[in-house]
Amino acid sequence: MNADRRRLDMETSSFDLLLGELYDAAMDDHSWSRYLTRLQKLFQANYVTLILRIPQDSDRGLMLIIGDIEGQGTISYTTYPGSETPFVNCPVNQVFTITDLMSLDSWRESDYYRRHCTQQNVFYVMGVDIAPPSGGIFRFRVTRPETDKDFSATDRALCDALIPHMSRALHIHSLLGHKHSLSALYAQAMGRLSIATLILDSNGHLLETNQVAREMLAAGDGLKIVGGRLEASYPGDNKRLYKSIRAAAASSTGGRVALAEALSIARPSGQVSLGIVVEPVPQQNWDEGESQPAVVIYCRDAVGQSLLSTSVTRQVFGFTPSESALAMELANGLSLEEAAGSLGIRRNTARAHLRAIFSKTGVRRQTELVRLILNSVVTLGQS
């Protein structure tokens, strides 16, 4: 049995493990390093590189390199001579080696080899440009020094067998990345609207919150966390809260359509009660287990100050800094006299600012001004 045949048998026996690490990498950035390290040993290579993004406005591309190089094993920006490399315009999803593009003598004489490969002891190159369904091109490269043998037909066959799996893994990774980005944007939007958002399992255990909710729970004025579970401050409210949570959880797992339920939660401080909305979280058919998201609760503090952006207010309405500061105080519920005191200005000065604000916004009463500001994009800006 020749060496290539023995290697093919060995590769086949470990193929499941190799694919397992590849699909782990689809779920987690850090697992790509383990997968490429296994390929380095499998192909007896000095370097294995996955180029995630070629340079745009600079000479640094985003890539992951396994081998004897600074920063190896981490996704980082590394110099990539994209304008000089001969590995361009190759057919996607097709394995190639140097001899598919030129003779080895021509390769030795090329500027690219002399300037960028000799110092890294790179001579033989096998690669493929992978184009997953989600778009983009990922450039996969495996290299060996000249003291080793060129990549064989068996090496190429193994690389070719990996292409559809790598394409699928990169596609999954891209989709998960997009989903994560959207989730982060939704959470940021909730925070800007000053809406506390709490996600619970079917037993009322807290799974996730946004920043507004964390601040509300830390205050413990109406809602709090006890033993990992959400609780209301008063037993009567807590009983009604859990009746709504159980109904929402049953709806999320039973396939029934349930309307959102609104509750009023009393606050020990004596402030106006918290208004909350309890809704089921839609479940996938194969989701099961006690720690699955089952219920989402939205809460808005009617007496809390709105998170308004002074800079956005100036840009939207053309206010001066002094006018914008006054408008923010009024929008947060202060009277003109209280706002003047808070800002340290005279009442007549505040009146002058208010007249200018009315002129620029076209409103005539303070209540109309507050409504205008709170219904504008000002509430979406960051302070």
Side-chain angles (χ1 to χ4, degrees):
M1 182 181 292
N2 61 36
D4 274 348
R5 181 62 190 172
R6 287 195 300 271
R7 273 196 71 224
L8 184 59
D9 289 342
M10 181 274 294
E11 289 153 4
T12 301
S13 66
S14 62
F15 201 64
D16 285 347
L17 179 60
L18 181 64
L19 292 185
E21 292 191 343
L22 171 59
Y23 286 108
D24 284 344
M27 308 293 181
D28 174 26
D29 282 349
H30 300 292
S31 297
W32 283 106
S33 178
R34 291 201 305 271
Y35 169 69
L36 296 184
T37 298
R38 181 171 293 276
L39 288 184
Q40 181 190 26
K41 296 177 181 177
L42 196 57
F43 286 115
Q44 300 173 4
N46 56 354
Y47 296 100
V48 175
T49 304
L50 182 63
I51 303 172
L52 307 175
R53 192 179 310 140
I54 62 174
Q56 300 295 327
D57 301 323
S58 69
D59 63 347
R60 301 180 72 78
L62 188 64
M63 59 188 73
L64 175 60
I65 304 175
I66 300 297
D68 186 15
I69 190 171
E70 183 180 356
Q72 73 98 23
T74 61
I75 298 176
S76 58
Y77 285 94
T78 306
T79 300
Y80 177 75
S83 60
E84 303 175 45
T85 176
F87 310 119
V88 294
N89 300 322
C90 295
V92 296
N93 300 328
Q94 291 186 24
V95 179
F96 63 82
T97 61
I98 291 294
T99 52
D100 293 322
L101 307 177
M102 65 187 77
S103 68
L104 292 181
D105 288 337
S106 298
W107 171 239
R108 286 190 187 90
E109 297 299 320
S110 67
D111 290 339
Y112 181 84
Y113 170 72
R114 291 179 173 180
R115 295 180 59 182
H116 304 290
C117 298
T118 54
Q119 58 186 342
Q120 300 295 339
N121 198 22
V122 167
F123 184 75
Y124 297 110
V125 179
M126 179 174 66
V128 58
D129 291 351
I130 303 172
S134 51
I137 295 179
F138 298 84
R139 294 155 178 84
F140 175 65
R141 306 287 185 263
V142 186
T143 67
R144 289 175 180 167
E146 190 170 5
T147 53
D148 285 355
K149 294 182 179 180
D150 196 359
F151 293 97
S152 66
T154 302
D155 294 320
R156 293 178 64 129
L158 176 58
C159 188
D160 187 66
L162 288 173
I163 291 174
H165 296 284
M166 290 184 67
S167 177
R168 192 173 296 119
L170 289 165
H171 177 61
I172 293 170
H173 188 273
S174 177
L175 293 179
L176 291 177
H178 291 164
K179 186 174 182 179
H180 176 76
S181 295
L182 287 174
S183 296
L185 286 173
Y186 293 149
Q188 185 180 24
M190 286 296 183
R192 288 185 172 187
L193 291 171
S194 302
I195 298 174
T197 307
L198 307 94
I199 299 176
L200 314 176
D201 67 13
S202 58
N203 293 318
H205 286 94
L206 189 66
L207 300 180
E208 191 171 340
T209 61
N210 65 356
Q211 182 61 34
V212 180
R214 288 191 287 273
E215 293 174 358
M216 181 190 69
L217 293 172
D221 190 17
L223 290 173
K224 57 187 177 180
I225 298 298
V226 178
R229 299 173 82 238
L230 182 68
E231 289 192 3
S233 296
Y234 297 112
D237 287 342
N238 201 53
K239 183 177 181 179
R240 291 188 297 110
L241 173 64
Y242 268 83
K243 180 180 179 181
S244 297
I245 290 175
R246 286 191 293 270
S251 173
S252 71
T253 58
R256 300 188 303 273
V257 178
L259 297 176
E261 185 170 353
L263 298 174
S264 179
I265 303 295
R267 304 168 71 173
S269 66
Q271 297 272 23
V272 176
S273 296
L274 294 174
I276 70 171
V277 171
V278 182
E279 288 187 353
V281 174
Q283 297 289 300
Q284 299 288 344
N285 290 334
W286 50 82
D287 283 346
E288 60 181 44
E290 294 184 352
S291 295
Q292 296 294 332
V295 177
V296 59
I297 292 179
Y298 302 107
C299 178
R300 182 74 181 265
D301 183 356
V303 298
Q305 289 193 343
S306 297
L307 302 178
L308 303 176
S309 170
T310 303
S311 61
V312 174
T313 303
R314 292 201 301 267
Q315 294 169 15
V316 170
F317 298 111
F319 294 161
T320 66
S322 297
E323 293 164 358
S324 181
L326 178 63
M328 294 299 94
E329 298 290 357
L330 297 176
N332 277 317
L334 298 187
S335 67
L336 186 63
E337 290 78 8
E338 291 170 335
S342 175
L343 297 173
I345 60 177
R346 294 178 181 275
R347 177 185 171 88
N348 288 340
T349 303
R351 284 186 176 280
H353 290 332
L354 185 59
R355 286 195 297 271
I357 290 172
F358 284 169
S359 176
K360 291 178 179 180
T361 58
V363 300
R364 296 182 179 181
R365 291 192 296 271
Q366 188 173 319
T367 54
E368 293 177 354
L369 173 66
V370 172
R371 187 183 304 114
L372 176 67
I373 292 175
L374 295 181
N375 288 333
S376 72
V377 296
V378 171
T379 57
L380 300 179
Q382 292 182 328
S383 300

